[in-house]
């Protein structure tokens, strides 16, 4: 659960029942600074002289606002559209692309007009009939740590459970799933968990749940009948990486329920970075040990028109062969969506 040091209410947020409920909750907590500002003044309300300070203060800030633009962004290849219920994340993963996407003060923002957002989702869904439209709830966020405040995921799960032609999915590195287990999801929400080795989590994924805790949460979700899957990302090729990823996946196999209603999915993504991200990461996490040496990588243009540094063709082929063989061995009934 996200426990902010500062909560900023954008003007207009308290006009919504959820906004007023959150205001009353936080204003009585003496350990939290509560302010109300215009939406264009949020960043100036977060202290910090250097990027290092701004990042850390931003990560401890919750912004409560109203989602005004209801134009949804596309979300290929995992979904048709992003569902913008939350932005930002309390985790401090050194490699995260949100380090560059969300600016110098990466605060967590929740939107109090979830009903408006779901109404817009219904419009997008109707435009694609008779096809099924998929919405991703974690494209620019991890919504699970703020769920105890907003109950937005629960509202979305109920909503999509009633939609014949729409599906909802999100991924998390956190574990607070108990309030979601008994909801009428009707198999229309897929809950995925991001997994990695203990080495990677300890070294790079600060303020997130451990691998064992994530796997235990996944077991609960699968036991509740949700479609579920795992995002193994980013894969780092370090000494003993094959042994450690095998150990992690063997533990996953032992922990998950043997009786499963749905086929488990896997998505595997290797580590990559842009030069812009590298510069930002080095400022935020000076002295980090991320493998970001251009001479050891291959430059590749991505789908959004900018270039990134990926592992070599030979390394990626070896990684793909390893994961396909291992997942087929341990989870022969699973669906591997991609290994990239």
């Amino acid at each position: 659960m996200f426990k902010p040091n500062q909560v900023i209410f954008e003007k207009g947020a308290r006009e919504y029942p959820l906004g007023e409920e959150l205001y009353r909750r936080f204003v009585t907590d003496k350990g939290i600074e509560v302010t109300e500002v215009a939406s264009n003044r949020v960043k100036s309300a977060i202290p910090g002289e250097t990027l290092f300070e701004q990042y850390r203060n931003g990560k401890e800030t919750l912004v409560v606002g109203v989602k005004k633009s209801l134009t949804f962004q596309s979300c290929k290849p995992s979904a048709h559209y992003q569902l913008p219920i939350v932005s930002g994340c309390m985790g401090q993963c050194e490699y995260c692309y949100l380090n560059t996407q969300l600016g110098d003060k990466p605060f967590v923002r929740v939107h109090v007009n979830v009903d408006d957002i779901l109404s817009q989702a219904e419009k997008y869904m109707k435009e694609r009939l008779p096809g099924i439209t998929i919405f991703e709830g974690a494209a620019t966020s991890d919504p699970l740590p703020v769920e105890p405040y907003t109950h937005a995921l629960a509202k979305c799960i109920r909503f999509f459970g009633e939609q014949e032609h729409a599906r909802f999915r999100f991924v998390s590195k956190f574990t607070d799933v108990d309030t979601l287990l008994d909801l009428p999801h009707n198999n229309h929400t897929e809950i995925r968990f991001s997994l990695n080795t203990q080495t990677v989590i300890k070294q790079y994924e600060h303020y997130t749940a451990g691998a064992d805790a994530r796997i235990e949460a996944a077991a609960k979700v699968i036991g509740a009948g949700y479609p579920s899957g795992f995002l193994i990302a980013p894969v780092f090729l370090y000494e003993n990486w094959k042994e450690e990823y095998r150990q992690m996946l063997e533990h996953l196999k032992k922990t998950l329920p043997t009786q499963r209603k749905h086929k488990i999915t896997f998505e595997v993504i290797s580590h990559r970075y842009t030069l812009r991200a590298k510069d930002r990461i080095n400022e935020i996490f000076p002295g980090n040990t991320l493998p970001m040496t251009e001479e050891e990588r291959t430059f590749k243009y991505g789908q959004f028109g900018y270039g990134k540094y990926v592992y070599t063709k030979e390394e990626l082929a070896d990684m793909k062969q390893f994961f396909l063989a291992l997942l087929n061995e341990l989870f022969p009934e699973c669906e591997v969506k991609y290994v990239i």
Side-chain angles (χ1 to χ4, degrees):
M1 182 176 179
F2 181 38
K3 296 181 180 179
N5 288 337
Q6 179 181 17
V7 180
I8 299 173
F9 286 81
E10 294 181 342
K11 290 199 181 298
R14 291 179 59 192
E15 296 174 10
Y16 291 79
L18 177 58
E20 183 61 20
E21 175 188 331
L22 292 176
Y23 181 81
R24 292 182 180 277
R25 175 173 186 161
F26 288 119
V27 79
T28 58
D29 191 325
K30 295 181 180 179
I32 298 177
E33 179 185 350
V34 177
T35 55
E36 188 171 4
V37 300
S39 58
N40 62 348
R41 300 293 298 168
V42 168
K43 278 193 174 185
S44 62
I46 301 173
E49 296 296 327
T50 66
L51 190 61
F52 182 89
E53 294 171 347
Q54 292 168 352
Y55 174 86
R56 279 151 184 80
N57 289 327
K59 283 289 186 178
E60 295 176 343
T61 300
L62 175 66
V63 176
V64 181
V66 179
K67 182 63 177 174
K68 296 176 181 176
S69 172
L70 293 177
T71 300
F72 291 5
Q73 300 296 313
S74 64
C75 195
K76 297 178 181 179
S78 63
H80 296 101
Y81 296 103
Q82 299 178 16
L83 191 76
I85 53 174
V86 182
S87 67
C89 173
M90 63 173 276
Q92 297 186 25
C93 298
E94 295 186 12
Y95 55 74
C96 184
Y97 76 97
L98 294 180
N99 289 331
T100 52
Q101 294 294 98
L102 295 183
D104 50 4
K105 296 177 180 177
F107 48 82
V108 179
R109 174 185 265 126
V110 298
H111 298 119
V112 295
N113 57 328
V114 179
D115 289 336
D116 296 339
I117 295 169
L118 292 177
S119 293
Q120 182 65 25
E122 192 169 9
K123 293 178 183 178
Y124 280 113
M125 176 193 69
K126 289 179 178 178
E127 290 175 359
R128 298 193 70 260
L129 290 175
I132 291 178
T133 304
I134 303 172
F135 296 87
E136 171 61 61
T140 60
S141 68
D142 191 317
L144 201 52
V146 295
E147 177 64 9
Y149 300 130
T150 66
H151 311 294
L153 286 175
K155 179 170 281 193
C156 291
I157 290 169
R158 290 191 184 95
F159 171 82
F160 285 104
E162 298 173 351
Q163 307 304 316
E164 181 180 358
H165 294 94
R167 301 291 184 269
F168 180 50
R169 67 200 308 255
F170 66 91
V171 63
S172 182
K173 291 177 181 173
F174 298 89
T175 61
D176 196 1
V177 298
D178 289 356
T179 59
L180 308 180
L181 299 180
D182 296 326
L183 297 177
H185 57 80
N186 199 26
N187 307 315
H188 290 183
T189 291
E190 180 188 16
I191 302 179
R192 296 126 62 220
F193 290 86
S194 175
L195 291 181
N196 225 309
T197 66
Q198 294 286 13
T199 294
V200 171
I201 292 174
K202 182 178 180 180
Q203 202 157 350
Y204 302 126
E205 297 186 358
H206 312 299
Y207 300 97
T208 66
D212 290 354
R214 299 181 202 178
I215 291 172
E216 289 170 7
K220 291 181 181 180
V221 164
I222 291 171
Y226 280 94
S228 188
F230 299 93
L231 177 64
I232 304 175
V235 173
F236 287 94
L237 308 184
Y238 56 91
E239 187 178 357
N240 297 324
W241 68 271
K242 289 183 179 179
E243 291 83 353
E244 293 194 19
Y245 280 104
R246 171 177 278 278
Q247 290 171 5
M248 183 265 289
L249 287 167
E250 286 177 343
H251 178 62
L252 178 68
K253 178 179 175 63
K254 292 177 183 177
T255 307
L256 296 186
T258 54
Q259 298 297 318
R260 298 190 282 264
K261 187 176 179 180
H262 303 280
K263 183 184 296 186
I264 296 174
T265 64
F266 286 94
E267 301 159 84
V268 185
I269 305 175
S270 61
H271 175 249
R272 65 275 316 279
Y273 67 92
T274 66
L275 290 180
R276 181 185 172 204
K278 177 180 177 179
D279 291 342
R280 176 59 62 92
I281 289 167
N282 285 337
E283 285 188 75
I284 297 171
F285 299 101
N288 71 81
T289 60
L290 286 164
M292 298 187 294
T293 303
E294 286 78 76
E295 291 75 18
E296 298 175 356
R297 296 294 185 103
T298 296
F299 184 78
K300 179 182 179 181
Y301 276 104
Q303 62 175 312
F304 299 109
Y306 57 83
K308 61 186 70 175
Y309 287 89
V310 302
Y311 284 110
T312 66
K313 183 178 179 181
E314 294 75 20
E315 289 171 322
L316 290 175
D318 182 44
M319 186 197 85
K320 185 171 185 177
Q321 182 181 24
F322 167 77
F323 276 105
L324 288 176
L326 181 58
L327 291 171
N328 183 61
E329 172 193 337
L330 297 177
F331 302 93
E333 78 291 351
C334 78
E335 176 188 355
V336 181
K337 293 196 170 185
Y338 48 81
V339 181
I340 58 175

